[in-house]
């Protein structure tokens, strides 16, 4: 991580919104659970990235938690083409949901305890297969940096994809 | 019947939660696999698929709800990582169950239903494993009253062959 990386993440999100890309919709509040003192440690604005090197998938993370609140706002925006309309297998053809091309992923919940942070994303469609994928992440808070791994389990297939993520606090 | 169930309840107090859950889950997975087996055949007829849909709609749904309630009651004891893994596993089970019930009610969907049945079994096994791992090292006597009650209900369901 370089010093310019958080700024780059924020700039990427701003650019996405400003130059014709899909404008990130206002995300619904994300519940943040854990002991009050631990939740307080997450207060502030965070920016970072995630990367899944084998798939070549990258994205930006922006996370904001106001002091004293137990809900946050988060944008997890992936780069690259939107997912295809559906899986290539027969099941997904039968249960296909309309593709809307969104590349903003929604956090379901964030849990903190004893310096650990974890959470999960609402199911989204895999970017290669178009199938639903379930993703959760784990990490640790060290001073003003969150860092960890994420795991994505596509509906089709037994493999769990792994990647890394980080976010640095921009301001409290 | 009472004589059969009493020892099951007694074991709640003396076994580790993981051991209790693994026994309960073995029974549940065996029963679920058996009742979904006709639907896993690519040539299953409509009524075989319909039977599986009814099972998922009633008994499986009730049982999985109990599992999730237990996990929710255990939440204060679980690590953030365990909770995240359980949430992802639960989402997969619920989504696949919904897809199965939607597709299984249609005619001419045997191949799709067969694949969904196998996926649902895989996702359910993953849920079971995630919950058993999450409770490793926990003794039943350390649980809250609510968790103990829910664990007892799961044992009772297993004892009744549900």
């Amino acid at each position: 991580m370089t010093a310019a990386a958080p700024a780059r993440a924020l700039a990427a999100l701003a650019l996405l919104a400003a130059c014709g890309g899909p404008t990130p919709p206002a995300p619904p509040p994300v519940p943040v659970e854990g002991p009050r003192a631990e939740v307080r440690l997450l207060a502030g604005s965070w920016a970072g990235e995630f990367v899944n090197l084998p798939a070549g998938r990258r994205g930006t993370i922006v996370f904001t938690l106001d002091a004293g609140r137990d809900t946050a706002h988060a944008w997890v925006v992936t780069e690259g083409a939107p997912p295809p309309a559906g899986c290539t297998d027969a099941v997904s053809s039968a249960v296909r949901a309309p593709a809307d091309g969104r590349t903003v992923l929604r956090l379901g919940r964030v849990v903190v305890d004893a310096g650990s942070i974890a959470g999960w994303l609402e199911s989204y469609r895999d970017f290669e297969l178009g199938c639903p994928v379930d993703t959760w992440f784990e990490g640790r808070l060290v001073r003003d940096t969150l860092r960890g791994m994420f795991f994505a389990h596509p509906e089709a297939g037994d493999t769990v994809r792994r990647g890394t993520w980080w976010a640095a606090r921009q301001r409290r | 019947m009472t004589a059969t169930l009493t020892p099951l309840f007694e074991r709640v107090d003396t076994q580790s939660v993981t051991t209790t859950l693994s026994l309960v889950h073995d029974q549940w997975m065996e029963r679920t696999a058996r009742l979904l087996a006709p639907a896993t055949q690519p040539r299953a007829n409509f009524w075989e698929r319909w039977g599986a849909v009814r099972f998922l709609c009633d008994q499986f749904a009730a049982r999985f709800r109990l599992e999730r309630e237990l996990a929710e009651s255990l939440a204060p004891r679980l690590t953030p990582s365990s909770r995240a893994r359980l949430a992802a596993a639960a989402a997969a089970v619920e989504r696949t169950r919904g897809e199965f019930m939607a597709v299984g009610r249609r005619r001419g969907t045997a191949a799709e239903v067969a694949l969904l049945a196998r996926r649902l079994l895989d996702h359910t096994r993953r849920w079971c494993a995630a919950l058993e791992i999450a409770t490793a090292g926990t003794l039943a006597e350390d649980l809250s009253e609510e968790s103990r009650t829910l664990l007892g209900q799961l044992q009772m369901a297993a004892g009744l062959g549900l």
Side-chain angles (χ1 to χ4, degrees):
Chain A
M1 176 186 14
T2 66
R8 199 170 65 228
L10 277 174
L13 190 65
L15 194 65
L16 190 68
C19 64
T23 303
V30 180
V32 181
E33 295 183 0
R36 195 177 293 266
E38 298 271 345
V39 173
R40 251 200 314 266
L41 294 175
L42 290 181
S45 295
W46 302 76
E49 293 176 317
F50 67 89
V51 59
N52 172 232
L53 281 179
R57 181 68 55 181
R58 290 174 178 276
T60 56
I61 302 166
V62 175
F63 177 86
T64 303
L65 175 68
D66 292 333
R69 302 291 299 271
D70 59 2
T71 57
H73 286 89
W75 290 261
V76 181
V77 184
T78 188
E79 300 164 1
C87 291
T88 51
D89 63 69
V91 170
S92 299
S93 300
V95 300
R96 179 186 305 168
D100 55 12
R102 254 191 331 204
T103 52
V104 178
L105 312 179
R106 287 184 174 178
L107 255 65
R109 191 164 301 188
V110 173
V111 184
V112 288
D113 197 8
S116 294
I117 181 170
W120 54 96
L121 270 59
E122 293 184 4
S123 296
Y124 59 91
R125 301 189 86 74
D126 178 88
F127 292 95
E128 280 74 41
L129 297 172
C131 310
V133 58
D134 302 297
T135 303
W136 68 97
F137 60 90
E138 306 171 3
R140 291 199 69 79
L141 169 64
V142 180
R143 289 188 290 277
D144 285 333
T145 303
L146 294 162
R147 187 190 297 274
M149 296 191 73
F150 67 89
F151 306 85
H153 186 265
E155 174 89 315
D158 295 330
T159 56
V160 174
R161 300 172 183 172
R162 289 184 294 181
T164 58
W165 66 275
W166 63 266
R169 184 155 24 212
Q170 307 297 294
R171 61 178 173 76
R172 286 187 186 269
Chain B
M1 183 64 76
T2 306
T4 305
L5 291 177
T6 302
L8 288 171
F9 278 113
E10 285 174 354
R11 283 207 299 271
V12 170
D13 288 331
T14 55
Q15 285 178 336
S16 77
V17 176
T18 301
T19 302
T20 303
L21 281 175
S22 67
L23 293 171
V24 162
H25 286 158
D26 284 349
Q27 180 275 339
W28 186 35
M29 288 309 308
E30 185 277 326
R31 176 174 161 77
T32 302
R34 179 160 41 84
L35 291 175
L36 291 185
T40 61
Q41 303 304 314
R43 292 183 180 174
N45 64 38
F46 174 78
W47 296 109
E48 287 170 326
R49 298 198 304 275
W50 180 251
V53 167
R54 290 304 306 266
F55 165 68
L56 292 180
C57 189
D58 299 332
Q59 296 176 39
F60 183 91
R63 180 66 180 270
F64 190 56
R65 194 179 312 121
L66 204 53
E67 292 265 342
R68 294 194 69 175
E69 285 174 7
L70 174 64
E72 196 60 35
S73 75
L74 292 168
R77 303 184 58 91
L78 303 182
T79 64
S81 296
S82 294
R83 292 185 62 186
R85 286 164 192 259
L86 281 167
V93 171
E94 289 292 14
R95 185 185 55 250
T96 309
R97 189 179 75 90
E99 290 175 350
F100 190 114
M101 291 195 299
V103 177
R105 289 186 165 110
R106 296 187 215 144
R107 292 190 179 274
T109 55
E112 293 90 335
V113 168
L115 188 50
L116 280 170
R118 291 193 175 94
R119 277 187 191 168
L120 182 61
L121 288 170
D122 285 345
H123 290 322
T124 308
R125 282 191 193 98
R126 196 157 62 91
W127 161 268
C128 292
L131 187 55
E132 290 167 24
I133 291 169
T135 56
T138 305
L139 293 174
E141 61 195 25
D142 297 332
L143 297 180
S144 67
E145 190 63 37
E146 181 189 13
S147 297
R148 282 162 57 99
T149 301
L150 289 164
L151 191 59
Q153 288 174 357
L154 279 172
Q155 278 204 302
M156 186 162 67
L160 294 172
L162 296 176

